Amino acid sequence: MSNHDAHYELRCRECGRSWGNQPRSICDECFSPLEITYDYDAVRASLAQGSSDKPKSSRERIAQRPPNMWRYSELLPLPEGFEPRLPVGFTPLFGAPRLAQHLVGNTNDAKVAAQNLYLKNDAVCLPTLSFKDRVVAVALAQAQAFGFDTVACSSTGNLANAVAAHAARLGLKAWIFIPSDLEPAKILGTQVFGANVVRIAGNYDQVNRLCSQIAEERRWGFVNVNLRPYYAEGSKTVGFEIAEQLGWRLPDNVVVPMAGGSLITKIKKAFDELVKLNLVEDKQVKFFGAQATGCSPISTAVKTGSSEIDPQKPATIARSLAIGNPADGHYAIKTIKQSGGWSEDVSDPEVIDSIRLLAATEGIFTETAGGVTVGTAGKLYRQDRILPEETTVLCITGNGLKTTDVLAGVYEIERPIAPKLAEFEKYLRETLDSVEVAKEAATLVGA
Ligand SMILES: *Cc1c(COP(=O)(O)O)cnc(C)c1O
Ligand SMILES: [Zn+2]
């Protein structure tokens, strides 16, 4: 295992002991999780390269780089001489005025919210259409540096897709462990890359425990077990991009879906680092966590004022978020509370309505996790925890084509008509007759 001489290293989150760089995620002294820390003077020097006008020129230097997550390389734990093989990230951020009008009740408020609501759209993150491509890109860079020829993960679906695809691209072997009830598209979208897929008759938390045991036995790089600290840093690029795409400023609020609770804490770390490097002005950002009610250990803790997780047995269609005992739950709660934010959860029917609402208002087809985020954002507006005049970013983290089964039966399959103009005219008359029915459906979607 190389202990490369880098500008970053592993450090214990609680006792602060330093562990160099190695495939390890837990401190042996106090059993707390490890995290990457950076030599920020080295980062600053690398970004400024001797220029006197540091903040401005660092921004420009970043802005001139190719539009992908590697533009923030100084703030990622990448091995010496790392050459990216895939242009991951730099997904679009754009305003969502029509969605805002549906989420905010009062019409005057809705007009204001329409100016201030944004979507960060990782439904189109390459190569596998979820933000997990970001974390895997960093984890596998380190897996190669550590000399692993086999990578692995426990996954609720999107991580499986990403590890399998990136491993194929890099010529690594992949072993993927999943709960047996995953969506068919997520299983197929892993197998197609030639990965070994092991279905486990159990929930994610049981799969993850098994993977920790296998990691002790085999010299495999488990992206979310022994490589977890490196993996987690990849999530920061969502935060860097939000700030850069808002014109190098921080939003007032972010709404983030939570599974293991890592993404929300890393967006916070990203914003803190940009402030530390004078790339953005300091500002209070409220962090709002989103979960499905059927698996809501983090939002339950926030709502009941607890600082610890009470594990749950997941029962929700939002499978990508179905982690009953989240590894970073404690830190997610802390991030949310210290920021002045909040956490909410939504029922499965609300998830489906929200997927349809986002698609019908903004043309974005998200998976169940995105439905959780949009539904939660609506609740937060209605509770006045998010105000219309505040700049608010919703993180849409995955693509709807992977979870089409949750919409089965929602839309009628039309009977085919003959390819004749007269047939179409007749069909149109019948359809216009049922226009009242259509109107009613539209109201339902907007509710
Ligand atoms: C994994 C995942 C999340 C949550 O990520 P954590 O860092 O585990 O909280 C959110 N959305 C989607 C689509 C995911 O796959
Ligand atoms: Zn420690």
Side-chain angles (χ1 to χ4, degrees):
M1 301 281 141
S2 64
N3 192 339
H4 31 255
D5 187 20
H7 67 285
Y8 57 86
E9 65 171 7
L10 293 170
R11 213 167 280 169
C12 176
R13 272 183 166 176
E14 298 303 329
C15 77
R17 190 188 150 167
S18 136
W19 288 90
N21 284 296
Q22 52 173 309
R24 162 187 290 277
S25 64
I26 300 287
C27 173
D28 270 358
E29 305 273 307
C30 73
F31 304 105
S32 300
L34 303 182
E35 178 169 28
I36 308 289
T37 55
Y38 297 81
D39 174 353
Y40 288 106
D41 288 335
V43 172
R44 216 172 268 120
S46 169
L47 278 172
Q49 281 174 10
S51 161
S52 55
D53 186 12
K54 281 178 189 174
K56 189 161 169 246
S57 68
S58 301
R59 285 182 194 169
E60 278 166 7
R61 185 159 288 114
I62 292 170
Q64 281 163 4
R65 294 174 177 172
N68 57 59
M69 64 179 263
W70 308 116
R71 66 211 265 114
Y72 313 107
S73 284
E74 281 92 346
L75 289 162
L76 295 173
L78 297 172
E80 189 76 29
F82 170 73
E83 295 279 349
R85 294 288 317 280
L86 281 167
V88 180
F90 219 74
T91 56
L93 177 112
F94 42 78
R98 282 169 44 77
L99 174 65
Q101 291 190 349
H102 280 267
L103 294 183
V104 178
N106 176 311
T107 45
N108 272 336
D109 283 354
K111 279 194 194 117
V112 178
Q115 308 276 313
N116 297 303
L117 180 66
Y118 294 85
L119 302 172
K120 175 63 174 163
N121 187 17
D122 266 17
V124 293
C125 195
L126 293 176
T128 65
L129 309 181
S130 88
F131 96 93
K132 290 296 198 304
D133 285 317
R134 301 170 183 274
V135 287
V136 170
V138 176
L140 293 207
Q142 282 296 343
Q144 288 189 302
F146 290 137
F148 290 112
D149 66 1
T150 302
V151 292
C153 68
S154 54
S155 173
T156 58
N158 285 313
L159 186 61
N161 298 164
V163 170
H166 288 246
R169 176 88 176 156
L170 299 175
L172 297 166
K173 285 174 275 195
W175 283 84
I176 311 291
F177 298 82
I178 53 171
S180 56
D181 67 349
L182 277 198
E183 298 93 340
K186 284 185 180 160
I187 300 178
L188 188 79
T190 306
Q191 291 168 322
V192 72
F193 299 111
N196 302 288
V197 178
V198 187
R199 287 173 73 212
I200 308 290
N203 62 34
Y204 173 83
D205 299 285
Q206 295 168 308
V207 177
N208 195 51
R209 208 166 309 127
L210 172 67
C211 285
S212 299
Q213 292 168 337
I214 300 171
E216 303 265 306
E217 297 280 310
R218 309 202 159 256
R219 255 194 53 78
W220 289 358
F222 275 87
V223 304
N224 54 346
V225 182
N226 50 1
L227 297 170
R228 189 171 177 86
Y230 298 94
Y231 147 105
E233 289 292 291
S235 289
K236 288 193 310 190
T237 58
V238 176
F240 296 146
E241 290 174 17
I242 289 171
E244 182 178 351
Q245 290 168 322
L246 285 173
W248 295 108
R249 84 193 153 91
L250 300 182
D252 296 303
N253 310 304
V254 284
V255 185
V256 186
M258 303 182 296
S262 174
L263 175 61
I264 194 167
T265 66
K266 293 296 172 172
I267 294 177
K268 156 103 174 110
K269 185 176 180 184
F271 290 170
D272 289 348
E273 287 179 337
L274 294 180
V275 169
K276 197 176 308 203
L277 295 168
N278 282 326
L279 287 164
V280 297
E281 247 175 66
D282 197 2
K283 167 175 180 178
Q284 187 202 9
V285 181
K286 290 185 184 169
F287 287 82
F288 294 93
Q291 294 207 293
T293 305
C295 183
S296 51
I298 306 177
S299 72
T300 300
V302 170
K303 292 199 283 189
T304 58
S306 166
S307 63
E308 295 306 327
I309 294 293
D310 188 7
Q312 294 183 1
K313 258 215 172 75
T316 171
I317 56 168
R319 299 230 160 78
S320 56
L321 303 181
I323 298 185
N325 191 10
D328 289 291
H330 167 75
Y331 296 102
I333 296 166
K334 205 162 139 184
T335 295
I336 292 165
K337 278 193 181 160
Q338 289 182 348
S339 77
W342 190 248
S343 186
E344 267 297 347
D345 46 78
V346 288
S347 70
D348 286 357
E350 287 175 292
V351 172
I352 291 171
D353 285 349
S354 302
I355 290 173
R356 299 175 68 194
L357 177 64
L358 180 64
T361 54
E362 300 294 349
I364 308 296
F365 186 17
T366 184
E367 69 147 80
T368 46
V372 167
T373 303
V374 169
T376 296
K379 269 197 175 171
L380 294 166
Y381 274 114
R382 291 194 293 277
Q383 294 171 355
D384 292 330
R385 293 185 191 275
I386 292 182
L387 302 177
E389 63 271 23
E390 295 170 341
T391 301
T392 299
V393 178
L394 311 189
C395 294
I396 304 302
T397 47
N399 194 296
L401 291 172
K402 296 193 195 186
T403 63
T404 53
D405 37 326
V406 301
L407 297 175
V410 169
Y411 302 98
E412 257 176 71
I413 302 201
E414 297 284 339
R415 81 186 153 78
I417 62 169
K420 297 209 169 87
L421 184 58
E423 279 289 313
F424 174 65
E425 297 286 348
K426 183 166 159 262
Y427 172 84
L428 196 57
R429 270 194 311 276
E430 287 167 9
T431 309
L432 292 178
D433 281 347
S434 58
V435 80
E436 286 308 312
V437 180
K439 261 191 195 155
E440 195 182 319
T443 326
L444 271 180
V445 170

